Amino acid sequence: MNFKNVLALLLILAIIAASAIIGIYGLEIGNVKINPIRESMRLGLDLKGGVFVVLEAETNATGDDLDKIMNQTKEVIERRVNIMGLTEPNIVREGEKRIRVELPGAQNASDAIEAIGKTAQLQFIKPNGEVVITGSQVKNAEVVFEKDRGNIPSVALELNSEGAKAFQEATRELAAATNINDKIIAIVLDNDVISAPAVQNEIPNGKALITGNFTLEEASELAALIRGGALPVNLVEVQTSAIGPTLGIDSLNKSIDAGTIGIILVFLFMLVYYKLPGLIADIALVLYTSIVLWTMVALKATLTLPGIAGLILSIGMAVDANVIIFERIKEELKNGKTLRASVNAGFSRALTTIIDSNITTVIAALVLFQFGSGPIKGFAVTLMIGIFASMFTAVVVTKILLKLFISFDVFRNTKLYGA
């Protein structure tokens, strides 16, 4: 018996077992703590409970103008949702004129919709509390790069005539102040200060520049918030749903139970029908499941009910790859080849078929991800992760394990391989 092969086999089995056990129970050694997958996984609204709403913009704008309006609207909604203090909200554009807002943990649908759909109040306020101008008087706000400041990004404001006049009077007064705190104009959005620049000089032409040590991202966000002081378009609610936390937990538990039963049945079928290769496939499937779930945790992907369906479907595809390989191995054995030659030929002959079938599925998943809504995207992400993991476990891990097993005399009986 080859000691190196024994050691390699035990090491692989130990790694697979450890990944599964840590995934189920977690691990805590000193300062190192790994939570179980169930606690680490981000759950979608359909599993965690909460509120989702689809809002449609009432506008005739098209092309770049429409993109600008929708991105501005999305910025305002994101900020409002963040103020609500909810964990893991999801705000995405859906199609050209719609925005989908998912709020896991929100309890009241009407309150949540009112909070994200109201008209924001943007105000420029002097130190004494007097409002200088409002968002309706801001024509534009955009990022600019001042050469004399080393191309550090700043935010340029353009006001309408009414705003320019009021701003000139206010900046004339504040520029003359001697105390720095008396020079500040606070930019307030929904009662929250988003910037507090100090006035350096009187601004007579309605064009102001907010400077500071901004990063490009910070300057872009500030410009977007100022532009989005009020929603640029009216939003119409086209779809709403509220899912209670109890219903979400019940759906998760039932999905886990169904998935567990299905996986156990698959394991038993592979073991009974394919004998030793089936056992090896089951071991590889344990690793496959761990890879998919830990990858989703690492990518901070959100698990939804369709996502669980995608996971179970991809497990079936992983088994399908093993079935193709094992049937090819049986054919080679029946043709009189040795066990080692049959394994090599079986994998070689099956590889093209496996790759072709998985590529077509990846293409379908990419289409679903590109054009689907939130839950459909979750299904597509889980399916794609599962496909790549199944390719690795079926083609690489299963082959390594098979070759290690057949290196031992006790496992060289061809009857163990279905011949």
Side-chain angles (χ1 to χ4, degrees):
M1 182 176 292
N2 191 318
F3 177 75
K4 288 184 179 180
N5 288 349
V6 173
L7 187 61
L9 180 59
L10 291 177
L11 180 61
I12 293 173
L13 295 178
I15 291 173
I16 294 173
S19 67
I21 293 170
I22 294 173
I24 296 171
Y25 300 106
L27 177 68
E28 187 170 0
I29 301 176
N31 295 327
V32 177
K33 183 178 181 181
I34 302 175
N35 291 323
I37 288 176
R38 183 164 181 169
E39 295 179 12
S40 304
M41 185 74 71
R42 291 179 59 177
L43 299 180
L45 186 144
D46 53 358
L47 297 176
K48 190 174 184 178
V51 173
F52 89 83
V53 58
V54 178
L55 303 169
E56 184 171 317
E58 292 185 326
T59 176
N60 294 322
T62 58
D64 292 340
D65 291 338
L66 178 61
D67 274 343
K68 185 176 180 179
I69 290 171
M70 295 308 296
N71 289 334
Q72 181 179 339
T73 303
K74 181 172 174 285
E75 289 274 1
V76 176
I77 292 175
E78 283 178 344
R79 186 174 181 281
R80 295 176 184 177
V81 169
N82 291 334
I83 291 173
M84 294 169 68
L86 299 173
T87 58
E88 301 167 2
N90 184 34
I91 300 99
V92 294
R93 284 184 59 179
E94 191 172 275
E96 289 188 344
K97 295 185 179 182
R98 292 186 177 185
I99 295 177
R100 182 185 183 92
V101 184
E102 296 181 353
L103 307 174
Q107 301 298 319
N108 190 302
S110 59
D111 288 350
I113 294 166
E114 181 182 357
I116 62 179
K118 69 180 180 181
T119 302
Q121 294 296 318
L122 177 72
Q123 299 174 322
F124 289 65
I125 302 176
K126 294 197 293 187
N128 62 5
E130 180 185 342
V131 177
V132 179
I133 58 174
T134 64
S136 62
Q137 295 164 309
V138 178
K139 291 175 63 176
N140 193 23
E142 60 184 358
V143 177
V144 296
F145 296 88
E146 293 293 303
K147 291 183 180 180
D148 58 350
R149 299 184 63 249
N151 284 326
I152 295 176
S154 303
V155 177
L157 300 181
E158 183 181 355
L159 310 178
N160 63 17
S161 57
E162 181 186 2
K165 182 179 179 180
F167 207 65
Q168 180 177 3
E169 293 175 1
T171 54
R172 181 190 307 128
E173 174 192 339
L174 298 182
T178 56
N179 190 324
I180 186 65
N181 291 328
D182 294 332
K183 291 177 173 285
I184 291 175
I185 289 185
I187 305 174
V188 181
L189 179 62
D190 283 345
N191 299 317
D192 187 35
V193 177
I194 60 175
S195 184
V199 176
Q200 304 297 329
N201 302 291
E202 178 185 344
I203 300 173
N205 56 4
K207 293 185 178 182
L209 190 67
I210 302 175
T211 60
N213 293 320
F214 295 123
T215 64
L216 177 58
E217 182 179 349
E218 290 168 343
S220 299
E221 181 181 2
L222 178 58
L225 288 173
I226 293 174
R227 286 197 308 270
L231 287 171
V233 289
N234 186 43
L235 295 176
V236 178
E237 176 190 330
V238 295
Q239 186 180 6
T240 307
S241 180
I243 300 173
T246 302
L247 179 61
I249 292 171
D250 186 53
S251 298
L252 176 61
N253 291 333
K254 287 183 177 179
S255 298
I256 291 175
D257 291 342
T260 301
I261 293 171
I263 291 171
I264 290 173
L265 291 175
V266 169
F267 280 11
L268 290 174
F269 171 80
M270 294 298 291
L271 184 60
V272 171
Y273 192 82
Y274 287 104
K275 300 179 177 62
L276 182 60
L279 173 63
I280 293 171
D282 291 346
I283 294 170
L285 282 175
V286 172
L287 177 61
Y288 159 83
T289 306
S290 296
I291 289 174
V292 172
L293 294 178
W294 281 120
T295 300
M296 292 186 67
V297 170
L299 296 177
K300 296 183 179 179
T302 300
L303 184 65
T304 61
L305 281 174
I308 293 175
L311 174 61
I312 295 173
L313 175 61
S314 61
I315 289 175
M317 294 180 64
V319 172
D320 182 57
N322 283 315
V323 167
I324 294 172
I325 292 168
F326 297 157
E327 288 296 333
R328 294 288 187 270
I329 291 174
K330 286 169 64 176
E331 290 176 6
E332 298 298 330
L333 287 171
K334 291 177 181 177
N335 290 333
K337 289 187 177 180
T338 65
L339 185 55
R340 187 176 296 277
S342 297
V343 169
N344 289 331
F347 275 91
S348 178
R349 290 181 58 194
L351 186 60
T352 302
T353 303
I354 294 171
I355 291 176
D356 288 347
S357 64
N358 281 302
I359 286 176
T360 55
T361 309
V362 167
I363 292 172
L366 288 171
V367 172
L368 290 174
F369 181 82
Q370 180 65 31
F371 298 103
S373 60
I376 301 302
K377 285 180 182 288
F379 173 83
V381 168
T382 310
L383 184 58
M384 283 190 286
I385 293 173
I387 289 169
F388 291 116
S390 69
M391 285 284 291
F392 171 71
T393 54
V395 176
V396 178
V397 177
T398 302
K399 186 174 183 179
I400 292 173
L401 288 174
L402 264 175
K403 287 192 171 183
L404 287 173
F405 270 97
I406 64 177
S407 67
F408 308 133
D409 293 337
V410 69
F411 297 119
R412 287 179 183 169
N413 189 335
T414 56
K415 291 182 179 179
L416 294 174
Y417 299 85

